[in-house]
Amino acid sequence: MDAAHPPTVTGHRAVRLWLYAVSALIVLMVVVGGATRLTESGLSITEWKPVTGTLPPLSEAAWQAEFEKYKTIPQYEILNKGMGLEGFKRIFWWEWGHRLLGRIIGFAFFLPFVWFAVRGVLRGALLARCLALFVLGGLQGAVGWWMVASGLTQRTSVSQYRLAIHLTLACIILAATVWVARGLTARARQAVPGRVRAGAYVLVGLVLLQIFAGGLVAGLDAGLTFNTWPLMDGRFIPHASQLGAMEPAWRNLFENVMTVQFVHRMIAYTLFAVAALHALDAGRIGGPAGRGAWILFALIAGQATLGVLTLIHMVPLDIALAHQFGAAVVLIVATVHASDVARAQAPVPALA
């Protein structure tokens, strides 16, 4: 690298743009993954072929062979018995597109990663962080197949546990990628109290927790039940006997449709309240931290509205995908905000 163009000035800008481009692809992946789940398409490809699976069936015989494999799993026998080849093609394309996007993200990350590493732009801590992102991406592919495998033998859909883990890991990778990219952005620093930084970190954690809970809701089709708001089965807080109907008690948090949806609602209320308090607190010091906190609160409020609309309209594809996209946007903004306050100067004295 030429001394006149140190990597912190020219190369890091290219790295930042690369990581933001990868982040955009991950957001697209999350949305397409949501469509795959909502259209019950995720089990249409019954094998994991990382290389040869890149190409879709190219002849009628190949299509028929894929269809015959699908006919051997419980989802076809119980839910889609009698489906024709054209119907199978519709669900196949969703899953194939989802897997293709995963491969594209892999190449979009790996090839520039090698280039930047060879050129010396990635080195030290930045190289280690980017390498960790690559490893997480590979793990996500394995988790994706682990999820699909759960629905191929005894179930008509994938395990809600594995779906929630797959979705949450994708969002962790998204947040980590944005965090690394944002750390390469040169900007004026602002003195921020420790409690504001802590609040920003808590919000990122709450957003990820809510995404995990949303994955459980999706995995159980819990959004198709109790489609009223703010009451649920006629009450704001359902009867304890309903929320705790399963034994042992912990199963209710993951397998009881009512409890899973109720927890998702409660996390949403908590997230809204914490975001409001954080915005009021950060707003008192103003500057980038205050603006970032209020923007985040506004997005969380909008996302909550989309969640309610998704519920009361019984999960229509368009609103549900907007809700999933909104979750990714909220996570990105929460991560950017947390990254910004993390790089603040020493905290100022607490405001009275």
Side-chain angles (χ1 to χ4, degrees):
M1 182 68 65
D2 193 305
H5 300 282
T8 54
V9 177
T10 55
H12 282 182
R13 179 177 182 275
V15 171
R16 185 173 69 249
L17 294 175
W18 159 57
L19 291 175
Y20 281 141
V22 171
S23 299
L25 287 173
I26 296 173
V27 172
L28 180 60
M29 183 77 162
V30 168
V31 174
V32 173
T36 301
R37 173 70 188 107
L38 290 168
T39 57
E40 300 285 354
S41 303
L43 298 178
S44 57
I45 302 177
T46 60
E47 297 174 318
W48 188 26
K49 297 179 178 179
V51 178
T52 59
T54 303
L55 293 176
L58 299 176
S59 67
E60 283 303 303
W63 274 112
Q64 194 61 48
E66 287 293 330
F67 191 23
E68 293 302 320
K69 294 173 188 175
Y70 178 66
K71 288 180 179 180
T72 66
I73 69 172
Q75 186 183 80
Y76 174 81
E77 287 293 330
I78 297 173
L79 298 181
N80 291 328
K81 188 83 170 177
M83 170 188 279
L85 182 59
E86 290 305 312
F88 170 71
K89 287 181 180 181
R90 283 193 292 272
I91 63 173
F92 179 94
W93 282 121
W94 276 117
E95 176 63 7
W96 180 82
H98 186 54
R99 296 191 188 195
L100 179 64
L101 263 176
R103 294 180 174 97
I104 290 172
I105 291 172
F107 280 109
F109 190 94
F110 180 70
L111 295 179
F113 171 78
V114 172
W115 171 259
F116 287 130
V118 169
R119 299 275 293 177
V121 178
L122 297 179
R123 55 191 180 189
L126 181 57
L127 175 62
R129 292 184 189 116
C130 290
L131 181 60
L133 292 175
F134 181 70
V135 171
L136 283 174
L139 176 63
Q140 174 70 342
V143 169
W145 175 248
W146 176 63
M147 177 191 68
V148 170
S150 69
L152 297 179
T153 54
Q154 298 178 342
R155 302 170 57 100
T156 59
S157 61
V158 299
S159 161
Q160 74 272 22
Y161 293 94
R162 299 187 189 189
L163 174 62
I165 291 170
H166 185 52
L167 173 61
T168 306
L169 181 55
C171 291
I172 289 172
I173 295 170
L174 172 62
T177 304
V178 171
W179 183 281
V180 174
R182 187 65 177 176
L184 300 175
T185 303
R187 59 194 181 281
R189 295 187 176 187
Q190 175 189 12
V192 175
R195 68 174 185 277
V196 173
R197 292 199 298 274
Y201 302 153
V202 167
L203 283 170
V204 173
L206 281 173
V207 171
L208 287 170
L209 179 62
Q210 181 68 325
I211 286 170
F212 179 81
L216 293 175
V217 169
L220 290 171
D221 289 325
L224 299 175
T225 60
F226 308 107
N227 300 103
T228 58
W229 184 84
L231 301 184
M232 186 177 184
D233 198 31
R235 297 166 60 92
F236 185 75
I237 301 178
H239 290 286
S241 60
Q242 294 174 285
L243 294 175
M246 291 183 173
E247 293 291 343
W250 65 264
R251 288 181 56 204
N252 291 283
L253 296 173
F254 305 98
E255 300 176 24
N256 184 329
V257 170
M258 171 181 275
T259 309
V260 167
Q261 190 194 121
F262 176 72
V263 169
H264 193 49
R265 293 185 185 209
M266 292 302 105
I267 297 174
Y269 297 144
T270 302
L271 181 57
F272 182 88
V274 172
L277 292 173
H278 177 70
L280 289 170
D281 191 20
R284 296 170 69 191
I285 64 173
R291 287 193 298 272
W294 279 112
I295 290 171
L296 178 57
F297 171 71
L299 288 171
I300 288 172
Q303 174 69 353
T305 302
L306 279 174
V308 172
L309 291 174
T310 301
L311 177 71
I312 63 178
H313 291 291
M314 298 187 67
V315 199
L317 185 61
D318 53 352
I319 301 178
L321 291 183
H323 186 49
Q324 187 132 342
F325 175 73
V329 172
V330 168
L331 178 60
I332 289 171
V333 174
T335 301
V336 168
H337 176 58
S339 174
D340 286 353
V341 299
R343 297 177 63 198
Q345 293 174 344
V348 298
L351 295 175

